[in-house]
Structures are given as structure tokens and as C-alpha cells.
Amino acid sequence: MDILATIGPLVIMFVLFYFLLIRPQQKRQKAVNQMQNSLKKGDKVVTIGGLHGFVDAIDEDKVVIKCGDGSRLTYDRQAIREVTESAAGTV
């Protein structure tokens, strides 16, 4: 009975950590990966550095972003933080 009283709080704490911290982080990471894999030409994106632009070309792991002044910058796919406007016009 002493073992259950000693290990019980640790098990409960691990379960709480899993449902409050680990599982939501895994869901967020899965959503980000899905967003980065579904990028297409013409999407309006924001990078992790705060650069706003349009996807001009897509390679397997690189994305070329066209900025407002017409310059084209090459980024890794993982550098895309969010898609603000899809090429079809929906977010």
C-alpha cells in the first residue's frame, strides 16, 4: 500500500503533463507540418523572421518567396510560419 501511495502521485503527474503539455504540442507540430507540406504557388505567407510575401516557386525542401519590391528570396520550407492567404483566396 505504501508503494501505491508513493508512485500514485508520480503517475498522476505524468498523465497530467502528457495531456496538458505533450499532446497539444504534438497536435500543433502536426498542423504546422501539414501546412508546410500543402504550400502552393501564389500563397501569401509569413516566415518565422517576419517576412511577408508570395510563394513564387516550390522545391522539395525550398520555397522561393517573392517580396513586395519584386525580389525573390529562397527559404527552407520549415521557415514558413503561416499562410495568411491561400492562392484560391481562402485562409
Side-chain angles (χ1 to χ4, degrees):
M1 197 65 164
D2 280 338
I3 294 174
L4 184 61
T6 312
I7 296 177
L10 291 174
V11 171
I12 291 172
M13 191 167 25
F14 177 74
V15 169
L16 283 173
F17 274 127
Y18 178 76
F19 283 107
L20 294 176
L21 298 174
I22 298 170
R23 191 166 178 234
Q25 179 61 31
Q26 289 174 341
K27 283 185 175 184
R28 278 191 298 271
Q29 187 62 38
K30 187 176 180 180
V32 166
N33 287 339
Q34 193 256 344
M35 178 269 305
Q36 290 171 347
N37 289 331
S38 67
L39 286 173
K40 54 191 173 291
K41 187 174 178 176
D43 285 350
K44 187 173 181 181
V45 296
V46 179
T47 66
I48 56 175
L51 178 84
H52 294 253
F54 292 93
V55 175
D56 191 47
I58 300 173
D59 196 2
E60 188 163 320
D61 60 345
K62 303 281 185 198
V63 176
V64 177
I65 298 176
K66 186 175 180 182
C67 301
D69 62 353
S71 61
R72 290 176 172 82
L73 304 169
T74 303
Y75 283 90
D76 287 337
R77 262 187 204 255
Q78 290 77 23
I80 305 300
R81 182 178 68 197
E82 66 179 307
V83 175
T84 57
E85 186 178 318
S86 179
T90 60
V91 176

